[in-house]
Amino acid sequence: MTTTVKIKDKLFELLVPAEEISAAVDAIASRINADYASKEPLFLCILNGSFMFAADLLRRIRVPCRVSFVKYASYAGTKSTQYIKNLVGLNEDVEAKDVIIVEDIVDTGLTMSHLLTELSEKKPATVRIAAFCFKKEAFQATFTIDYLGMEIPNAFVIGYGMDYEGYGRNLAEIYQISDNQYPTSNTSTC
């Protein structure tokens, strides 16, 4: 396991090792399997970031389910633009269905709020949120995360599906941006 990685012009330090990620996904899947034992939920995964969490989570789900995807953009570089752009919209019939939104990270909550508003107009039976990471300090919304992997500091992070300008999504661990932007001897480059 590498303790630092350099992505383009930024240095990132290890925040969450792969073993902790796996244990958190196990816990979320266990709760969902229990809560939906007699139901058939639709997992609505938010691309691109949630793809690794969604894949790991769905391999652990033991109830009948369907999977669909939406895609929004709200980041430029390392900052949220506060503007939500709909890139791939919801094309599933969710009326009277149990929906579980799968998201890699909730920080400001603006993207999720946008999706929740869009979903409410389509009249699902229930909507719950499964998010792997939550930045409580950055949160500006009022919704509740029903299935949470872990709370993390309000720092820019990459890995486990999260990226910096498209890079770093493939990392099995989660890294946070370093205050020290110079590579060390235990650094890998992506």
Side-chain angles (χ1 to χ4, degrees):
M1 168 176 35
T2 306
T3 58
T4 59
V5 293
K6 185 173 184 201
I7 305 289
K8 296 185 74 172
D9 60 336
K10 306 279 185 228
L11 187 67
F12 295 84
E13 299 172 345
L14 182 65
L15 179 64
V16 184
E19 300 79 25
E20 286 182 36
I21 291 170
S22 184
V25 175
D26 284 343
I28 292 170
S30 178
R31 288 187 53 216
I32 291 173
N33 285 325
D35 291 351
Y36 288 82
S38 62
K39 298 180 180 180
E40 297 183 6
L42 167 66
F43 286 87
L44 187 58
C45 309
I46 302 177
L47 295 174
N48 288 338
S50 75
F51 82 98
M52 287 184 79
F53 172 45
D56 286 348
L57 177 64
L58 289 161
R59 281 192 291 262
R60 292 165 167 92
I61 296 300
R62 302 294 174 240
V63 299
C65 65
R66 293 183 306 131
V67 180
S68 190
F69 302 90
V70 294
K71 183 174 181 178
Y72 299 98
S74 65
Y75 263 82
T78 62
K79 303 282 186 213
S80 174
T81 63
Q82 305 292 308
Y83 172 74
I84 311 300
K85 184 176 179 184
N86 190 344
L87 302 176
V88 175
L90 178 63
N91 58 9
E92 295 284 331
D93 176 14
V94 298
E95 187 172 347
K97 306 280 192 313
D98 295 304
V99 177
I100 301 173
I101 300 170
V102 180
E103 178 66 296
D104 56 338
I105 188 166
V106 173
D107 45 29
T108 64
L110 298 178
T111 300
M112 186 67 68
S113 293
H114 178 82
L115 178 55
L116 289 169
T117 299
E118 184 180 342
L119 274 174
S120 70
E121 296 167 1
K122 299 183 182 290
K123 300 182 180 7
T126 62
V127 176
R128 290 191 177 167
I129 300 168
F132 191 78
C133 293
F134 176 54
K135 293 182 185 178
K136 185 177 182 178
E137 295 172 30
F139 193 59
Q140 300 172 16
T142 58
F143 60 82
T144 300
I145 300 171
D146 304 282
Y147 306 102
L148 178 60
M150 61 187 57
E151 191 173 312
I152 63 170
N154 188 18
F156 186 77
V157 293
I158 59 159
Y160 199 60
M162 296 169 278
D163 72 301
Y164 170 50
E165 295 185 357
Y167 293 92
R169 292 189 193 280
N170 59 307
L171 299 169
E173 301 86 12
I174 296 173
Y175 294 81
Q176 69 180 355
I177 198 161
S178 174
D179 291 334
N180 174 8
Q181 293 297 299
Y182 300 99
T184 64
S185 60
N186 197 11
T187 300
S188 71
T189 304
C190 289

